[in-house]
Amino acid sequence: MNINLDDLKYPIGKFDKSKGVSSDELKEYIDDLAMFPSLLRTEVANLSEAQLDTPYRDGGWTIRQVVHHCADSHMNSLMRFKLALTEDKPTIKPYDETLWAMLPDSMSMPIAPALKMLEGIHERWTFLLRNLKVSQLERVFLHPAEGQTFRLDETISMYAWHSNHHLAH
């Protein structure tokens, strides 16, 4: 049986930025973000240390690294949202997620602190998102590594995808 590497790397498919974001979809995406911490906690609740240290695919991160990555990534995203809401087209600070995943906290620390972080981040993040005006959702930030601007409503859809992408791992 041939297993496609892209199927393992992107089990729900790659993110499609070309789609617009309707108000109904936006509500669904925010709901996805709200539910992500509890869904992730459920997925990892009964995993042993050995299972947490098993890569989800050959050459991929361990489950432990994925959980810590989600906390790191979503923490950065919340900060980017706040910058975009309080500054005019801010340039955000990129980070190398691969190098972050190789740091000692991502490699060997228990996942409980990352799960707690995700609960707090997502509670604040989704409260903020549910209380934004349409004009605020149109605000942008500049991602210098990507060389492009990102609208907040599009970024919400990307992080809903990101959450579901890693849940599938």
Side-chain angles (χ1 to χ4, degrees):
M1 178 169 107
N2 280 340
I3 298 176
N4 184 337
L5 180 61
D6 268 2
D7 291 343
L8 294 175
K9 195 171 184 178
Y10 301 102
I12 64 168
K14 293 182 179 180
F15 177 68
D16 182 6
K17 184 183 177 183
S18 67
K19 297 180 356 177
V21 181
S22 71
S23 61
D24 286 340
E25 289 172 322
L26 195 62
K27 288 176 185 163
E28 288 178 29
Y29 296 144
I30 295 169
D31 288 344
D32 284 352
L33 290 172
M35 294 183 312
F36 176 65
S38 63
L39 293 173
L40 182 61
R41 184 178 289 280
T42 299
E43 287 295 320
V44 299
N46 296 314
L47 297 181
S48 67
E49 291 297 308
Q51 289 170 313
L52 288 171
D53 291 328
T54 301
Y56 68 91
R57 64 175 173 82
D58 283 344
W61 290 341
T62 66
I63 302 302
R64 182 183 312 278
Q65 286 172 295
V66 169
V67 172
H68 287 294
H69 160 72
C70 288
D72 292 340
S73 176
H74 295 196
M75 170 181 61
N76 274 283
S77 186
L78 175 59
M79 292 185 335
R80 292 170 180 178
F81 270 76
K82 287 181 170 263
L83 289 169
L85 290 166
T86 59
E87 299 177 15
D88 185 33
K89 193 179 167 185
T91 299
I92 58 95
K93 172 84 171 93
Y95 68 101
D96 187 327
E97 65 182 31
T98 302
L99 291 178
W100 282 38
M102 300 308 291
L103 293 172
D105 60 329
S106 295
M107 295 289 293
S108 59
M109 184 177 184
I111 61 171
L115 293 171
K116 286 181 201 175
M117 284 176 62
L118 283 164
E119 288 169 356
I121 289 165
H122 280 251
E123 187 172 349
R124 290 194 65 189
W125 197 9
T126 56
F127 180 89
L128 175 67
L129 298 178
R130 287 184 172 134
N131 287 283
L132 295 179
K133 298 177 180 129
V134 172
S135 62
Q136 291 173 302
L137 292 165
E138 295 170 351
R139 294 187 63 90
V140 299
F141 60 83
L142 173 66
H143 195 303
E146 302 287 331
Q148 61 182 317
T149 58
F150 289 85
R151 283 174 46 130
L152 294 186
D153 56 357
E154 295 168 345
T155 304
I156 293 168
S157 70
M158 182 179 65
Y159 273 90
W161 171 87
H162 186 256
S163 297
N164 291 316
H165 162 74
H166 285 305
L167 275 173
H169 285 146

